[in-house]
Amino acid sequence: MSTPSTPPSQPASLPRSNVALIGSPNSGKSLLFNRLTGLNQKVANFPGITVDISAGKSLIDNSTEYLDFPGVYSLHTISGEEKLAVEAFYKAMDADHLDAVICVVDATRLEKGLIFALQVVEACRRYNKPLLIAANMTDVLEQHKMQLDTQGLADALKVPVLPISGKTGFGLENIPSAIASAKAPTEAYGIAGDIIASDDSLIHRQAQQLANKYGPKGDLLINAQTKLDSFFLHSWFGGLSFFVIMYLLFQSIFTWAAPVMDGVETIIQVTADFVLARVPEGMASDFIADALFGGIGAFLVFVPQIFVLTLVVGMLEDSGYLARAAVICHKPLRVFGLTGKSFIPMLSSVACAIPGIYAARTVDSPRKRWLTYLAIPLMPCSARLPVYTLLIAAFIPAQKALGGLIGWQGLAMFGIYVFGIVCALLVTAVVSRSNAELRSDLPFVLEMPPYRLPSWRPLLRNAWNRSKHFVTKAGKIIFIVTVVIWFLGYFPNQGASLGDSWLGTMGQWIEPVFAPFGLDWKYGVAILTSFLAREVFVGTLGTLFGIEGAEENFVSLSQQIQDSGLPIGSGVALLVFFAIALQCVSTLAVLAKETGSWRLPTQLFISYSIFAYVAAFLTFHLVEFLV
Amino acid sequence: MTLWDLTQGTSATVSAFAASIEAGYRTRLSELGFHPGESISCVMAPSLGAPKLYRVNNTVYSLDDSIASMIEVA
């Protein structure tokens, strides 16, 4: 199966420069694209995760550029997202932007792939575009000793069919030559006339006949899948395993990342000591200690957590489990006006709201997607983590209860995460009930992808990229903010008294805003700067306490907060404020881009700010009353 | 009888779509394999009204009651 099976009498042709990759959702197209281009497009085992057209130069032959189109089930489209993808595909064909097309089909589920492939054969015939069919996932066939007759299929379709595996890389080296020799289909398959516009049962019958004749035989794969489904969707075990998996997900963020976080902290500390010992005392050393190590170092500590979280969420997507989780969550989420498909964007938002907003494109009902957008900013994203960790370390004792089974700090973290999720669900429940239109829905139809062992390399690369993105994107903002904050806090009296600095003076103006929950001006400034990005809060506070206390590292920040005599009510109020407020410029910008206007982000920003303020105010008084 | 009435492990043949089903969705269901004459089996029927899993050829889809009850089977 290592050479392309071309139909007879196809002469060689010119190399192609722009090659489209098209296929139905879950055909392994994105993994293939990553393999071919070395790009780091997100690959996931969940139908419809590719939501933009990505382009990348071929690693094998750099005169070729591959364009990865979003997965579509058909060239007849029903959902808005698919429609955009199909229109983009036709537009690219029409404008002569494409030199060839590769249609990726999942060889383990040939019939489904062929229904789409037959439409693509017809489209390429019409637009006179060379076509290659890539029969993907042949590694799975081989593993189960199943056969695909690529030559027979190629002869029947009069289109070359190349067996490949995006996962193992099998057959990929043959793609450039296979594309080069591919020709535009000249005959419509099976029927005379337009197969795309024809009766859908006809195309279905043809795909079925072809799959029966040339495709793998037997039920082995589907039986294995059903066996696992009967466990993961079992009335008891299914629910139980869902909770265990979610528990492990959160556990991994805190326990697996902890040693690496300690490592990063130690590196920052050692570097700070090393550098500061070599810089003469004065303004420069104050700047290095307070702004660089106090401000930026404080947030670098959290990068390992973001890495682990992205890795674990990616692993769950890749394994096929998230589609099952969507089934489990569908009924409960419907109570809150959402759908099971909202689960993936909401879970992704636990890592970061931005991929969550993009993933919401897979929610085919526009109304449910809109409701999902309302929930996303309230999901406990990883940018809140530094703030939560800091405040919990400062206010919750590091003691354990029930013989060491429960740690109060862990419980507090769990509590604030649950609080965010509950807020998200309550908002969607109230909004969906207040508007009758939002209650109606597109039906829930979701393909169950086969269970697969995750491909580690793309997952690790994705987690690495997300962390890098976090450092470079958020790091830039944090650097600028901390430098400005340091400058305003250090002058005009060279750090002698923070309260008399320019920042101190400005801080007194805003103090009345946050005084109702017992916060002084330093927290007020930190909250204001955190509207750029939440993690800036830690950096700003680190810088401010650094100037004030001449401490140079982050470790003592929670201690300094404790020592500052801040009441516990204020600490809990801050936690509640950060759980609700939409303090993220990037989230607002991406929401505006996705919804096509600034209306929704503006509404959300204002309403969540008011909600956060009121909830924090009530929390402060409640806690102070109880304690 | 509708597809939603199928219990776990049973199969039936699609006979028709409910008149109220949107045309676009009827086409999509057909493309996924849910079209008149096709045999569908219910591979999983989780309790508490969760969406059921239906097998069409070599692919499994999850459908909730709102759509599965619009597909008539015999």
Side-chain angles (χ1 to χ4, degrees), chain A residues 74 76 78 82 109 111-112 115 200 204 208 219 222 229 233 235 327 330-331 334 443-446 448, chain B residues 24-25 28 30-31 33 35 38 44 46-49 51 53 55 57-65 67:
Chain A
S74 157
H76 306 115
I78 48 165
E82 276 197 350
R109 293 179 295 168
E111 181 182 331
K112 180 181 148 257
I115 292 175
D200 38 62
H204 189 270
Q208 203 167 34
D219 287 346
I222 206 93
D229 275 339
L233 294 173
S235 307
V327 172
H330 178 65
K331 194 92 196 271
R334 227 163 54 164
F444 180 84
V445 178
L446 184 64
M448 295 288 102
Chain B
Y25 240 84
R28 171 51 44 88
S30 291
E31 282 165 349
H35 66 83
E38 190 65 52
M44 237 357 252
S47 57
L48 303 170
L53 264 55
R55 178 182 168 178
N57 300 305
N58 254 352
T59 310
V60 176
Y61 297 96
S62 169
L63 273 68
D64 75 353
D65 52 348
I67 185 75

Side-chain angles (χ1 to χ4, degrees), chain A residues 98-164:
Chain A
L98 296 180
D99 299 308
V101 175
I102 299 179
C103 177
V104 186
V105 297
D106 175 355
T108 65
R109 293 179 295 168
L110 195 60
E111 181 182 331
K112 180 181 148 257
L114 283 175
I115 292 175
F116 180 63
L118 285 172
Q119 296 180 349
V120 178
V121 170
E122 175 57 21
C124 289
R125 185 186 70 83
R126 250 192 254 169
Y127 285 89
N128 196 30
K129 295 290 174 198
L131 171 68
L132 168 71
I133 293 179
N136 198 9
M137 305 191 192
T138 49
D139 57 312
V140 182
L141 293 186
E142 228 156 84
Q143 203 185 330
H144 292 88
K145 311 224 176 326
M146 294 166 119
Q147 295 292 322
L148 169 71
D149 180 1
T150 45
Q151 185 63 59
L153 190 60
D155 290 344
L157 291 172
K158 298 193 170 51
V159 171
V161 178
L162 182 69
I164 60 151

Side-chain angles (χ1 to χ4, degrees), chain A residues 23 51 72 204 258 273 286 313 382 444:
Chain A
V51 283
V72 288
H204 189 270
D273 292 345
D286 286 347
V313 171
S382 55
F444 180 84

Side-chain angles (χ1 to χ4, degrees), chain A residues 566-590:
Chain A
L566 193 72
I568 184 163
S570 306
V572 184
L574 265 177
L575 280 174
V576 167
F577 185 87
F578 272 88
I580 301 169
L582 208 174
Q583 303 146 287
C584 180
V585 176
S586 318
T587 302
L588 293 169
V590 172

Side-chain angles (χ1 to χ4, degrees), chain A residues 305-581:
Chain A
Q305 276 184 328
I306 285 150
F307 182 87
V308 171
L309 184 66
T310 317
L311 185 71
V312 178
V313 171
M315 209 169 76
L316 286 177
E317 279 182 327
D318 218 16
S319 68
Y321 180 73
L322 280 195
R324 276 74 191 181
V327 172
I328 291 174
C329 293
H330 178 65
K331 194 92 196 271
L333 283 177
R334 227 163 54 164
V335 176
F336 298 99
L338 297 162
T339 143
K341 292 182 186 180
S342 308
F343 179 74
I344 314 296
M346 285 171 75
L347 186 71
S348 302
S349 304
V350 173
C352 175
I354 315 272
I357 293 166
Y358 286 127
R361 290 188 188 180
T362 59
V363 181
D364 42 14
S365 151
R367 289 166 190 153
K368 299 293 162 191
R369 195 183 317 147
W370 189 81
L371 283 168
T372 309
Y373 286 146
L374 301 193
I376 285 173
L378 292 166
M379 294 303 288
C381 72
S382 55
R384 285 178 168 110
L385 210 63
V387 183
Y388 290 167
T389 310
L390 177 72
L391 293 172
I392 286 173
F395 288 100
I396 311 292
Q399 287 163 355
K400 294 196 188 292
L402 295 179
L405 264 182
I406 296 176
W408 291 117
Q409 293 193 336
L411 202 65
M413 185 64 88
F414 181 72
I416 195 69
Y417 264 70
V418 170
F419 176 77
I421 298 165
V422 168
C423 283
L425 294 176
L426 285 180
V427 165
T428 55
V430 170
V431 175
S432 66
R433 273 167 180 74
S434 63
N435 186 339
E437 250 198 9
L438 291 170
R439 281 202 291 274
S440 65
D441 191 12
L442 273 183
F444 180 84
V445 178
L446 184 64
E447 183 189 337
M448 295 288 102
Y451 289 94
R452 287 178 202 144
L453 280 177
S455 324
W456 287 102
R457 269 177 49 191
L459 281 180
L460 285 168
R461 214 161 37 192
N462 188 40
W464 174 251
N465 282 338
R466 170 81 47 225
S467 314
K468 209 168 74 184
H469 182 85
F470 182 76
V471 173
T472 50
K473 264 282 169 70
K476 261 183 225 155
I477 304 173
I478 289 170
F479 180 73
I480 295 167
V481 172
T482 48
V483 168
V484 171
I485 293 289
W486 182 84
F487 183 80
L488 291 174
Y490 196 78
F491 292 103
N493 47 21
Q494 268 80 27
S497 161
L498 184 61
D500 295 328
S501 67
W502 288 327
L503 190 68
T505 317
M506 287 155 73
Q508 318 305 272
W509 302 337
I510 53 164
E511 195 166 54
V513 180
F514 298 102
F517 24 108
L519 298 174
D520 70 17
W521 68 270
K522 286 197 289 296
Y523 294 93
V525 169
I527 292 173
L528 280 191
T529 57
S530 71
F531 273 91
L532 285 169
R534 295 172 180 101
E535 57 274 35
V536 176
F537 178 81
V538 178
T540 307
L541 220 52
T543 308
L544 288 176
F545 274 108
I547 296 172
E548 194 177 54
E551 292 281 349
E552 77 278 2
N553 55 42
F554 161 73
V555 195
S556 62
L557 185 53
S558 60
Q559 187 63 45
Q560 282 178 316
I561 293 175
Q562 246 175 7
D563 296 344
S564 72
L566 193 72
I568 184 163
S570 306
V572 184
L574 265 177
L575 280 174
V576 167
F577 185 87
F578 272 88
I580 301 169

Side-chain angles (χ1 to χ4, degrees), chain A residues 268-282:
Chain A
I268 293 169
Q269 237 173 344
V270 169
T271 320
D273 292 345
F274 179 82
V275 172
L276 288 169
R278 276 152 192 80
V279 178
E281 268 194 36

